[in-house]
Amino acid sequence: SISRIGDSVKRTQVGKTGRFGVGFNSVYHLTDMPSFVSGRHVVFFDPSCAFLPNVTAANPGKRVDFVSNAGLADKHPDQWTPFA
């Protein structure tokens, strides 16, 4: 599951893609803090707890409802440029 970093629930399912647990984790070869948009939310993962405020090893990310928080793009334009 993408919500549990490094954990593969498909490990014992021989015919499943992603059973080795490297799927989404491969993005860490490209960035230290991956992010993506899903529906009305943008999700930021910071497993090193180095970039986002108030993250922990147990909860290393943030999910932000960008529709309800429409002013965020104006307040932090550099963070939202990739999604424009």
Side-chain angles (χ1 to χ4, degrees), residues 32-83:
D32 292 325
M33 196 179 86
S35 57
F36 59 90
V37 172
S38 179
R40 60 187 293 142
H41 294 95
V42 62
V43 178
F44 298 97
F45 286 140
D46 182 11
S48 62
C49 302
F51 305 104
L52 294 172
N54 305 317
V55 295
T56 65
N59 188 13
K62 300 281 184 186
R63 184 177 74 168
V64 179
D65 182 341
F66 64 86
V67 175
S68 296
N69 296 293
L72 288 175
D74 295 329
K75 195 172 181 181
H76 305 285
D78 56 329
Q79 295 299 314
W80 299 96
T81 299
F83 304 107

